[in-house]
Amino acid sequence: MAYRLGVDVGGTFTDLLLINEETGEKFTAKVPSTPQDSSIGVLNGVNRICEESGVDPKKIKRVMHGTTVATNAVLTGKGANVGLVTTAGYEQILQVARSYCPGGLGGWVNYVKRPLLAPLTNTIGATGRIDAKGNIVTELDTDKLRQDLIRLKAKTSLEALTICFINSYINPAQEQQARDIAAEIFTEIPISISSEVVPEMQEYERTETTVVNSFVRPEVSRYVHNLSQSLEEKMGKDVQLSILRSDGGLASTRSAADSPVNLLMSGPAGGVAGATYFCSRAGYNDILTFDMGGTSTDVALIQDAKAMVRRETIVGDVRVRAPSVDIRTVGAGGGSIAFVPELTKALRVGPESAGAVPGPACYLKGGEEPTVCDANVVLGYLPSDAQLGGKMTISREASEKAVKKVADAMGIDIMTAAEGIIEIVNEAMFGALRLVSVEQGYDPRNFALVGFGGAGPLHANALGILSNAWPVIVPPGPGVLCAYGDATTQVQDEASRTYLTQASSLDKATLLSDLTALKDKASETLLADDIPVEQHEVTYQADLRYVGQAFQITVNFTEAELQSQGVSLLTEQFDKEHEQLFSFKLEDGHEILMIRAVSKVKSQSLEIVSNANSANTLADCKISDTRFYYSGQWHDAVIYNRAMLHENLIVVGPAIISEMDSTTVILPDHQAKTDAVGNLLITPVE
């Protein structure tokens, strides 16, 4: 009997989900994260979930893991010491970038640029040139390059090397030649070339992306290798570790270590995958998601059960050409700190967070500042007699002491201050939801709202009121939903090429031939990981724009659709999306910039079962009476055990539904019921 394990590392907690692949039986666990070394938290979680479930670790054959190692390296600037080899004359490409200073017309006055990830002192120019059509104009001066690399090695202790030549996306020969020379000199460090990492046009973006890949590669490689070894010692040599990619697919440990630039949004992508998994099975294919954790909230829009994927990933002020789920993040989490500036006396919440250490005051781990979590405790939304994850005591007294700082600073009572904190953080999350919906031409009222993460269900009902998106859905195990996503997604890889072709002059046969070549390339990674070709599932993408535009839109299609509808399939999809975003479309002038093949493992059916007894009554599900403060007054409420609820029961608010990993608040004039999949559906009382 085999098990699979989903693991998600967050800023405050590490979440785990263990699933029996034959019966669908599931177990969950939540342990504090260990920011100094996240693998410690992962192994602590493995020990706990195996101990509590009684499952022998050696029965776990697959581990799917969402990680923030690459993200943290970029955000903190604590990556590798990177060397860069460019075409001679392009040594300052990272410094010049796009000659853009954020902040409007006066932005250049106070703009301080972050240190380059590959410093100029570590950059050399190689003599050699390829033109825009891929022809070699000037042969690579191998003798000079070898001498420059030897001097570079003597001058600094490099941990990774990047090679990026102009126009190499269309002809990689000189980059490959330079890599072979560099490998003779730098025998102990990884070498990344742009034609393999991101074979796309635009020199700055290609260089930045490849440099970021090198910057995080040693750290990610060490982490993946060490975690893989630790899991093998605990679970056996046949355990398979996969890492979640930014676009919601999985990568093998080998692929993750070689191309870590694809992992920058690994963590948040898991929640989107998990939400899509549960909601699509319940018939909700159009959803807005918000994942509220301890440090931040991630929001996304899902249409037709498919997450919107953008062709770039943004982490801090680093923007790279790597596919990622279109997720927007705001500094609004359970650990976000509330404060009152001396100058304005106006209440503020976040973005600074108490994080995992010391954490909110209520956890009694040394935190003293008022946080969103503390406000929830004061208001009664998070009952102080509950134990988060079954292990962490919650102190109402400590929360009241912390929130009183804000109340005293504003001259108001503690309950008003606590409710103000919650209202501010709710508005911040609502603003993020508008970014992915209203500002992209979508009406939130046409979507269901999905709240998850450790803190999401506490705020889900209130966000439903603000957005008017119903029903509000709280999936099973909302606090560990990212782990669900990790455990239920598929291994995938992709291959792309710059196309630059007018759609009007392109015939179906030519496009199919070019796509087939990309399909073979995309499948190479899966084959290298011993996944046979009959298990591959291939889809295609094309990036289109109207001639003269500076941006593009990605359309998705299959070979069968292209065979039946021809190239017009692409232009019609593009026009529809363009009209959705900008309220107009043109009749012609379509230009195809990129084509792409995405190869993934065919999905395997995995049904997760509910253990609720259908004979339970609401009285059986009741844990205790309680009360909470809402809209300026106290309300008597009941706490229910979610594990005992089934689809024939309706919980009318005010109420609180408790489970191991999260707490759901049902506000007055609202009700909740469980569907056949196990989702909790919150709607206004009619």
Side-chain angles (χ1 to χ4, degrees), residues 200-202 310-312 321 542-546 549-555 574 577-578 581-582 591-594 596:
E200 300 181 10
M201 60 186 290
Q202 297 184 319
R310 55 184 175 186
R311 301 311 305 175
E312 63 180 12
R321 284 284 180 85
D543 298 344
L544 282 81
R545 68 181 179 187
Y546 294 124
Q549 284 184 321
F551 64 92
Q552 61 272 354
I553 294 173
T554 300
V555 299
F574 170 81
E577 181 70 15
H578 196 279
L581 291 171
F582 307 109
E591 185 177 29
I592 302 174
L593 296 180
M594 301 283 302
R596 192 175 298 108

Side-chain angles (χ1 to χ4, degrees), residues 531-553:
I531 300 172
V533 69
E534 57 268 19
Q535 293 184 23
H536 297 189
E537 184 177 77
V538 181
T539 57
Y540 299 109
Q541 297 176 345
D543 298 344
L544 282 81
R545 68 181 179 187
Y546 294 124
V547 173
Q549 284 184 321
F551 64 92
Q552 61 272 354
I553 294 173

Side-chain angles (χ1 to χ4, degrees), residues 31 69 123 142 195 346 414 448 471 489 494 635 648 673:
V31 297
V69 172
T123 304
T142 57
S195 54
I414 188 172
T489 191
E494 65 176 48
H635 298 265
N648 296 324
K673 68 172 295 184

Side-chain angles (χ1 to χ4, degrees), residues 168-242:
S168 59
Y169 67 90
I170 199 168
N171 182 354
Q174 290 193 345
E175 278 194 354
Q176 294 168 349
Q177 190 178 3
R179 177 183 57 188
D180 294 341
I181 295 171
E184 298 172 5
I185 300 166
F186 295 95
T187 56
E188 303 295 328
I189 66 173
I191 301 172
S192 301
I193 63 175
S194 70
S195 54
E196 290 184 355
V197 175
V198 52
E200 300 181 10
M201 60 186 290
Q202 297 184 319
E203 300 308 312
Y204 166 66
E205 285 78 5
R206 185 155 47 84
T207 305
E208 175 83 338
T209 301
T210 314
V211 166
V212 170
N213 192 74
S214 295
F215 186 74
V216 301
R217 190 171 175 182
E219 181 68 19
V220 171
S221 295
R222 278 193 297 270
Y223 175 76
V224 169
H225 176 73
N226 292 340
L227 180 59
S228 182
Q229 274 196 330
S230 298
L231 292 176
E232 286 181 5
E233 292 173 5
K234 186 175 292 291
M235 301 174 182
K237 292 289 185 182
D238 57 343
V239 65
Q240 178 184 344
L241 173 64
S242 301

Side-chain angles (χ1 to χ4, degrees), residues 268-285:
V272 173
T276 304
Y277 176 84
F278 281 107
C279 292
S280 62
R281 279 159 177 74
Y284 297 99
N285 294 323

Side-chain angles (χ1 to χ4, degrees), residues 12-13 292-295 332-338 349-350 352-355 358-364 369-384 386 388 392-400 402-403 418-419 421-422 425 429 454-456 458-459 663:
T12 307
F13 290 103
M292 187 178 183
T295 306
S336 294
I337 296 174
V349 181
E352 186 179 353
S353 172
C362 64
Y363 293 167
L364 300 177
E369 297 302 316
T371 66
V372 172
C373 182
D374 293 311
N376 278 312
V377 172
V378 170
L379 294 170
Y381 299 155
L382 187 58
S384 55
L388 195 61
M392 295 185 65
T393 301
I394 297 173
S395 169
R396 180 182 177 84
E397 182 182 351
S399 291
E400 289 178 340
V403 175
E419 194 162 31
I421 291 171
I422 298 304
V425 79
M429 290 187 287
L458 286 166
H459 300 257
T663 302

